[in-house]
Amino acid sequence: MDGIRILGTGSYVPPKVLTNSDLQKMGLDTTDEWITQRTGVRERRIADPDVNTSDLAYHATLKALDMAGMTAKDLDLIIIATITPDTCCPAAANWLQAKLDVPQAVTFDVTAACSGFIFGLNVATQYLLTGFSKNALVVGAEIISRTLNWKDRRTCILWGDGAGAVILTKGKGGHRILSTHIHTDGANGQDLLLPGGGSRTTPISHESVDKGLHTLNLIEANMSFKVAVRHFVGSIKEAVEYNHVAVGDIDWFIPHQANLRMFQSMAKSLKVPMEKFYVTLHKYGNISSASCAIAFDEAVRDGSIKKDHLVCLPVFGGGLTWGSALVSW
Ligand SMILES: CC(C)(COP(=O)(O)OP(=O)(O)OC[C@H]1O[C@@H](n2cnc3c(N)ncnc32)[C@H](O)[C@@H]1OP(=O)(O)O)[C@@H](O)C(=O)NCCC(=O)NCCS
């Protein structure tokens, strides 16, 4: 039976490393021990000032194309999931299309914060199933470092920059996306907020900058550890029930990489060993839309994901947004 197949994966993180100790050296009132114990993050990657989100997406795309044995000319749909596009208008996907020199491809961005990659997969799947698209590129790409208040020790320690990509097609064979599920709760969605730049705060002014409206605000409440874990666990259960498999049948959990303690809590709640959780957050932090895509690519490339493995990618993020993908490799 025809299904949605993953032909290639790729990822890219900028080379510049910012460690927890570096943050302390920058004058932030924190320690490596505090950050590591509370979050699991040890270091993160930071894009150079002349690098844009579509540049990170471009490098990840080339790797995914290479694995797929394709060229950019084969693509007819490009979706970037991001909350940090190169520009508000045009979309980051349009900048990427120009870099790839593929005017035939339809391009747009998807905004779903840390759940963005799975939202992108869900949208691309519909285009492939209807026949509108034959080969779709979905990229999660972020330069979160540009949106941070580096004096806010509760927020700036969490995030990093990077991009992860997949190439999808419809057909028979392995590496199949068995399901995607996505959800939003707009009424409770203001706790991860980048208020400036939109219609609520225009025109942009010295005052709006001074008030910190152009930096990422993370309020606990709906973005708390507890709420995140509830949605992660609920998303995993939704995926297994839909596919008539058991939680124990899943070989790898590759969640959005927000916090190691969330993974431990999920493992306990689902009664599965921590060894089944693939972790990249210790080296990259939380890269919003890109986190899950990068971790997935690394798990494919280092051989952790093997033939016929069942892989679950649960996500949760601002908006509120949450969901999952279940993949049979
Ligand atoms: C940021 C986070 C790690 C803080 O952990 P916490 O255990 O809740 O810590 P609290 O916010 O209760 O703060 C405890 C103390 O540590 C301090 N603190 C906060 N950040 C600190 C840092 N980077 N270094 C040192 N101390 C810090 C606080 O000021 C507070 O001090 P006080 O008790 O004197 O007021 C945690 O809230 C978190 O993981 N938040 C993000 C949730 C998330 O990822 N959601 C999903 C996003 S997709």
Side-chain angles (χ1 to χ4, degrees):
M1 199 178 87
D2 277 359
I4 303 303
R5 300 188 57 221
I6 301 171
L7 297 178
T9 68
S11 62
Y12 177 80
V13 289
K16 185 176 168 194
V17 176
L18 187 72
T19 65
N20 292 343
S21 308
D22 292 335
L23 285 169
Q24 207 175 350
K25 281 180 210 146
M26 284 160 55
L28 199 68
D29 183 12
T30 190
T31 60
D32 175 41
E33 192 190 4
W34 194 96
I35 300 173
T36 305
Q37 277 181 4
R38 304 285 177 118
T39 70
V41 181
R42 292 178 180 276
E43 57 189 44
R44 67 285 294 146
R45 300 301 180 93
I46 306 292
D48 281 338
D50 60 343
V51 170
N52 284 306
T53 301
S54 63
D55 295 318
L56 304 184
Y58 176 77
H59 292 300
T61 299
L62 292 189
K63 290 183 185 172
L65 284 168
D66 184 55
M67 186 187 286
M70 294 164 71
T71 72
K73 301 280 177 221
D74 298 315
L75 301 172
D76 53 20
L77 174 67
I78 297 176
I79 299 173
I80 295 191
T82 186
I83 54 168
T84 53
D86 304 36
T87 50
C88 285
C89 178
N94 299 25
W95 290 99
L96 177 61
Q97 184 212 42
K99 283 173 186 147
L100 292 169
D101 189 21
V102 285
Q104 80 283 356
V106 171
T107 62
F108 54 88
D109 289 357
V110 164
T111 306
C114 302
S115 308
F117 179 62
I118 299 303
F119 274 61
L121 290 186
N122 179 281
V123 174
T125 296
Q126 316 309 321
Y127 278 80
L128 291 162
L129 288 175
T130 59
F132 181 91
S133 164
K134 296 219 172 324
N135 297 312
L137 166 69
V138 179
V139 193
E142 303 281 11
I143 301 189
I144 303 286
S145 63
R146 304 259 166 87
T147 70
L148 297 175
N149 172 359
W150 290 98
K151 295 195 170 102
D152 176 5
R153 67 178 182 173
R154 280 189 59 256
T155 305
C156 76
I157 56 159
L158 300 169
W159 307 91
D161 305 335
V166 292
I167 311 233
L168 307 176
T169 195
K170 189 174 105 171
K172 295 178 177 57
H175 304 182
R176 288 158 66 105
I177 297 180
L178 301 179
S179 66
T180 56
H181 288 91
I182 55 172
H183 303 279
T184 61
D185 174 8
N188 290 301
Q190 290 86 45
D191 288 351
L192 182 77
L193 194 62
L194 193 49
S199 63
R200 294 173 74 99
T201 49
T202 45
I204 293 168
S205 61
H206 287 289
E207 196 190 355
S208 69
V209 174
D210 291 343
K211 280 186 179 165
L213 297 182
H214 301 278
T215 53
L216 194 69
N217 295 337
L218 176 65
I219 304 163
E220 285 301 304
N222 285 308
M223 292 306 289
S224 71
F225 185 92
K226 214 167 130 188
V227 176
V229 170
R230 177 155 48 85
H231 281 106
F232 276 125
V233 169
S235 297
I236 293 166
K237 287 185 176 164
E238 183 178 37
V240 297
E241 277 163 25
Y242 179 85
N243 289 286
H244 306 292
V245 295
V247 170
D249 295 335
I250 294 175
D251 297 285
W252 283 108
F253 296 91
I254 308 187
H256 165 58
Q257 309 274 313
N259 188 310
L260 192 61
R261 288 188 302 137
M262 286 180 193
F263 290 14
Q264 288 158 348
S265 187
M266 273 185 255
K268 196 171 163 200
S269 167
L270 295 164
K271 298 186 178 56
V272 293
M274 260 307 278
E275 290 69 37
K276 284 196 172 188
F277 283 73
Y278 194 86
V279 183
T280 55
L281 68 86
H282 57 296
K283 51 184 182 174
Y284 302 144
N286 179 343
I287 321 181
S288 194
S289 306
S291 270
C292 201
I294 293 171
F296 181 59
D297 174 56
E298 292 202 357
V300 167
R301 284 175 187 267
D302 72 13
S304 297
I305 298 177
K306 298 189 179 6
K307 188 174 177 309
D308 295 331
H309 268 179
L310 211 49
V311 184
C312 187
L313 299 94
V315 289
F316 167 75
L320 294 175
T321 55
W322 65 97
S324 70
L326 194 70
V327 173
S328 168
W329 202 250

